[in-house]
Amino acid sequence: MTRLSVNINKIATLRNARGGNNPDIIKAAMDIESFGAQGITVHPRPDERHITKQDVYDLKKVVTTEFNIEGYPDDRYIHIIEDIKPAQATLVPDKPDQLTSNHGWNTVKDAKQLREIIEHLKKICRVSVFVDANSDMVKGAKDCGADRVELYTQSYAENYLKNREQAIEPFVKAAQTAKEIGLGLNAGHDLSLENLEYYKQTIPWTDEVSIGHALICDALYYGLKNTVGMYLRQVR
């Protein structure tokens, strides 16, 4: 079964736009779990423009499904993982001021850095590495000791309507590589109701999809409970 982990960053963005606690992201996370999602994802960036460090500590008290914390593995992030002990740490190569993730790790070039960090974090939780749909990068993640890779799916989503078979081809190859070498497989970035079902059907051994922006946008029209249900149906 492919699990749905809902990224709640955008809910925090809305809250932060006005200050205060509306919408309440703690309640939102609890509701999302009650609606059937099997995980909650957050990405506490250094500037705290959406999820704050305090949010992560507050969420730890209430999240009962898999808690996935994304981030660049600097000292701040590693300290959070050590304290929170989530189900999964997803390492991304984002710069501190980056708007959103836009590329995966070069797991060959950055092997030394990743290997040391992964060795430490694996004593705490499962470790996933964010990579482009490239078999060499998948193999590099395995060599660095990662438990899983998360395939960066932006190019698939961008080209889905043009030619979905062509768009998904590199992802199938990368996913097959992960399967052959014993790596768990996640996916995320711009997956939506439009393109998620085909991705899941084509790569059914995907362990988890992490979806935030599209899901929260859809919730404006369909309601949060209904939207979570719609996404769950896409991955079943």
Side-chain angles (χ1 to χ4, degrees):
M1 181 183 71
T2 300
R3 292 173 173 266
L4 171 66
S5 185
V6 177
N7 187 319
I8 60 173
N9 284 359
K10 288 298 186 295
I11 298 176
T13 300
L14 181 59
R15 176 202 61 188
N16 294 353
R18 288 288 295 270
N21 194 39
N22 187 23
D24 183 338
I25 69 158
I26 304 304
K27 183 179 186 305
M30 296 170 67
D31 288 342
I32 287 166
E33 288 183 317
S34 74
F35 300 153
Q38 297 101 347
I40 298 293
T41 292
V42 295
H43 188 151
R45 294 179 183 273
D47 62 8
E48 299 198 331
R49 64 178 178 265
H50 37 64
I51 292 293
T52 68
K53 184 176 180 180
Q54 186 59 51
D55 289 335
V56 180
Y57 283 81
D58 291 341
L59 286 163
K60 170 62 176 178
K61 300 173 186 176
V62 301
V63 172
T64 59
T65 58
E66 288 209 349
F67 196 16
N68 173 42
I69 304 178
E70 301 177 339
Y72 181 81
D74 55 11
D75 290 343
R76 175 196 61 91
Y77 175 82
I78 291 172
H79 180 68
I80 290 173
I81 299 300
E82 290 171 339
D83 274 359
I84 301 299
K85 297 178 176 59
Q88 179 173 267
T90 299
L91 309 184
V92 297
D94 293 4
K95 296 178 181 178
D97 60 347
Q98 199 164 309
L99 179 63
T100 187
S101 300
N102 61 13
H103 66 286
W105 286 95
N106 185 326
T107 57
V108 176
K109 179 181 177 182
D110 299 319
K112 184 177 185 298
Q113 175 191 6
L114 287 170
R115 190 174 293 115
E116 292 173 355
I117 293 166
I118 292 170
E119 182 179 4
H120 175 64
L121 293 183
K122 280 182 69 171
K123 299 172 185 175
I124 303 168
C125 63
R126 181 174 68 237
V127 180
S128 179
V129 176
F130 194 65
V131 297
D132 296 320
N134 180 302
S135 290
D136 289 338
M137 297 302 104
V138 173
K139 292 175 183 176
K142 174 70 171 181
D143 292 340
C144 290
D147 300 297
R148 291 186 183 181
V149 288
E150 178 176 337
L151 298 183
Y152 170 48
T153 50
Q154 190 272 338
S155 65
Y156 163 72
E158 185 177 63
N159 295 298
Y160 175 81
L161 290 179
K162 301 173 186 175
N163 186 326
R164 67 181 189 175
E165 291 82 7
Q166 186 176 2
I168 206 168
E169 184 177 352
F171 293 88
V172 173
K173 291 179 180 177
Q176 287 174 336
T177 298
K179 187 177 183 180
E180 289 166 3
I181 63 178
L183 267 183
L185 185 66
N186 298 340
H189 206 91
D190 289 346
L191 292 175
S192 67
L193 290 174
E194 182 177 62
N195 57 48
L196 178 58
E197 183 176 22
Y198 180 70
Y199 188 94
K200 159 67 178 185
Q201 289 176 344
T202 311
I203 310 175
W205 60 94
T206 301
D207 292 300
E208 174 188 287
V209 291
S210 176
I211 303 176
H213 184 80
L215 189 150
I216 300 306
C217 289
D218 288 332
L220 295 174
Y221 294 93
Y222 304 127
L224 187 56
K225 181 178 182 178
N226 189 37
T227 300
V228 171
M230 293 168 75
Y231 275 85
L232 285 169
R233 288 191 288 275
Q234 298 290 308
V235 296
R236 284 173 180 162

